[in-house]
């Protein structure tokens, strides 16, 4: 049976402080790789792996003064996401993003009058537990 996490029960902390108005967290782990080619063949014989990076986005209703300050100051921080199940158990899955930097910011105001700011970040690593 799959584990279903609830956004309404989960929480996200930036340097130990809750992010108010959080709408979404999206991230991707990317590992550089290079194919080793066989001489005289069109097939690869091996793969060399390189740098692993973590890139993500946080969408916050209106804006986050703390994330704005980290962007302005180019400050390093940690994100901890505590994912909780919908019902039935208090199981928590924790995602820790280490050595994060806010790399960009986008703003959106939709027809319903709700403003949202998207903060793009990078991290040195993600730890799951």
């Amino acid at each position: 049976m799959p584990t279903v996490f609830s956004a309404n029960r989960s929480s996200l902390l930036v340097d130990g402080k809750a992010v108010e108005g959080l709408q979404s967290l999206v991230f991707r782990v990317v590992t550089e790789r290079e194919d080793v080619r066989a001489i005289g063949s069109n097939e690869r014989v091996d793969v060399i792996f390189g740098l692993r990076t973590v890139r993500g986005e946080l969408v916050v209703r209106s804006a986050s003064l703390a994330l704005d300050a980290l962007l302005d100051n180019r400050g390093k921080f940690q994100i901890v996401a505590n994912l909780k199940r919908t019902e039935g158990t208090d199981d928590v899955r924790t995602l820790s993003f280490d050595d994060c930097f806010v790399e960009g910011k986008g703003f959106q105001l939709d027809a319903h009058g709700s403003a949202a700011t998207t903060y793009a970040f990078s991290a040195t690593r993600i730890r799951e537990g």
Side-chain angles (χ1 to χ4, degrees):
M1 177 187 267
T3 301
V4 178
F5 296 110
S6 170
N8 293 335
R9 295 190 68 220
S10 300
S11 64
L12 188 126
L13 307 173
V14 170
D15 279 344
K17 296 179 184 166
V19 175
E20 299 295 327
L22 179 71
Q23 297 299 298
S24 67
L25 163 66
V26 177
F27 70 91
R28 178 177 301 191
V29 179
V30 180
T31 303
E32 292 178 347
R33 69 165 186 78
E34 186 172 335
D35 294 330
V36 177
R37 301 168 189 257
I39 297 174
S41 172
N42 61 353
E43 295 180 352
R44 72 177 186 198
V45 294
D46 203 355
V47 177
I48 298 171
F49 293 99
L51 178 67
R52 178 172 287 169
T53 57
V54 180
R55 302 232 179 246
E57 291 184 345
L58 299 171
V59 178
V60 177
R61 213 29 102 192
S62 294
S64 168
L65 296 176
L67 290 169
D68 286 338
L70 289 165
L71 174 63
D72 291 342
N73 299 326
R74 298 180 181 142
K76 186 173 17 174
F77 60 97
Q78 181 185 42
I79 296 173
V80 176
N82 295 305
L83 308 178
K84 296 182 182 176
R85 289 183 58 163
T86 306
E87 294 177 8
T89 180
D90 290 332
D91 291 346
V92 176
R93 183 171 187 183
T94 301
L95 305 176
S96 298
F97 300 84
D98 298 327
D99 300 335
C100 299
F101 290 94
V102 178
E103 295 187 348
K105 173 180 159 179
F107 181 80
Q108 174 182 328
L109 182 63
D110 63 26
H112 302 290
S114 297
T117 303
T118 301
Y119 296 93
F121 70 90
S122 65
T124 300
R125 77 189 64 79
I126 180 173
R127 295 178 287 125
E128 300 183 39

